[in-house]
Amino acid sequence: MASYGSFVAIGDSFTEGLSDPGPGGGLRGWADRVAEHLARLDPGFRYANLAVRGRLLDQVVREQVPKAIAMRPELISFCAGGNDLLRPGCDPDAMAKTFARAVRDLRESGAEVVLFTGVDPRDTPLMRRMRGRFAIFYLHVRSIADLYGCHLVDTWSMQGLRDWRAWHEDRLHMNADGHRLVAARVLDVLGVPGEEPWRKHWPARKVTDPRVRRREDAEWLRRHLLPWIGRRLSGTSSGDGIAAKRPDLTPYA
């Protein structure tokens, strides 16, 4: 059985744990859930989470990768690029070069590295138009994982994440159930026996009245999509003024 004495998580809202409420009004997320499990296996386990919502790939590479390397942990998770892929004119091939250089540096530190594909966006009406660029980038990620000997968590193939019951109402971030499934998948990929399965078969749901669905779509547009577009136009980010929730590699209680 694999074991790890220290873990640093870097990335954006996916790794920060957005939409998975934690104790004391904070955020939990898949990375904290993995850390909790690893801490139960090793009393001296240490954990840091440098991820900040809204961060682009270049920002994660510039701000978080050097800090993670300096901490010299046994395990580093690296997931970034999703926010870039949502922006017009992004180049997934150029992103992959930046991503690969960062992975090379992380691996040269001696740490084991966990990489992620994204979730297939084909079930999201607006995002499925960009499915090609998502697929290209995450094929690159798979190749980079193979090239540098990284662990790969393939969320693209996780059927349990295709159900909206695994997602927050904003349709961009997983809820507690989604984060729980990803944490279970990470532990499985690492070879660490977990307490929950990552495969999820949701019970059948009643067919939704099309009128109700249209009202839900309109509410989502008003509450989530339009504010997101507004931030893009104004050059602001949801992560402006937000600091990493666990900036130091410290014992995890």
Side-chain angles (χ1 to χ4, degrees):
M1 180 182 73
S3 61
Y4 299 91
S6 53
F7 170 36
V8 175
I10 61 178
D12 52 29
S13 59
F14 170 70
T15 303
E16 185 187 356
L18 216 62
S19 302
D20 183 8
L27 297 173
R28 197 177 182 191
W30 69 264
D32 281 20
R33 293 173 182 273
V34 169
E36 290 166 11
H37 189 78
L38 296 177
R40 286 196 289 270
L41 302 176
D42 183 346
F45 176 79
R46 296 174 300 147
Y47 171 54
N49 190 319
L50 309 180
V52 177
R53 69 196 72 174
R55 289 297 189 263
L56 301 173
L57 174 60
D58 284 343
Q59 292 175 306
V60 174
V61 171
R62 183 176 65 253
E63 300 167 4
Q64 299 177 27
V65 168
K67 292 180 181 178
I69 291 173
M71 292 177 181
R72 308 292 294 182
E74 295 178 19
L75 179 68
I76 299 173
S77 68
F78 176 34
C79 184
N83 292 316
D84 301 72
L85 293 169
L86 291 171
R87 296 185 174 223
C90 81
D91 183 345
D93 295 315
M95 289 171 55
K97 293 180 180 179
T98 300
F99 193 91
R101 289 192 294 269
V103 172
R104 178 199 62 199
D105 293 343
L106 292 170
R107 287 291 285 142
E108 287 180 350
S109 74
E112 291 190 34
V113 175
V114 182
L115 304 180
F116 298 77
T117 68
V119 176
D120 187 347
R122 65 179 173 174
D123 299 314
T124 308
L126 292 176
M127 291 173 61
R128 65 172 163 237
R129 298 181 181 181
M130 300 177 282
R131 192 182 184 208
R133 70 171 65 163
F134 277 81
I136 290 170
F137 179 67
Y138 291 124
L139 280 173
H140 280 303
V141 171
R142 296 183 70 93
S143 298
I144 293 166
D146 185 58
L147 178 63
Y148 290 104
C150 303
H151 303 280
L152 180 68
V153 177
D154 184 15
T155 61
W156 190 284
S157 67
M158 291 180 65
Q159 296 301 301
L161 294 180
R162 291 190 58 196
D163 193 293
W164 284 115
R165 284 171 285 188
W167 294 84
H168 184 258
E169 63 182 24
D170 67 5
R171 306 182 184 180
L172 287 174
H173 300 99
M174 298 180 302
N175 59 24
D177 287 324
H179 280 283
R180 188 178 296 111
L181 293 177
V182 172
R185 186 70 186 272
V186 171
L187 291 171
D188 181 67
V189 166
L190 292 175
V192 178
E195 299 170 352
E196 299 183 66
W198 61 264
R199 290 182 174 85
K200 175 75 173 182
H201 299 285
W202 295 91
R205 292 186 298 179
K206 295 181 179 179
V207 177
T208 304
D209 186 317
R211 291 171 297 180
V212 174
R213 182 167 297 177
R214 285 194 292 271
R215 286 198 298 270
E216 291 175 347
D217 289 345
E219 182 67 8
W220 170 77
L221 179 73
R222 183 183 67 82
R223 294 187 58 191
H224 301 289
L225 181 61
L226 291 178
W228 183 86
I229 293 174
R231 289 195 297 271
R232 299 290 78 75
L233 294 175
S234 64
T236 60
S237 167
S238 59
D240 289 347
I242 301 293
K245 64 180 183 180
R246 290 186 64 92
D248 302 307
L249 188 61
T250 55
Y252 189 78

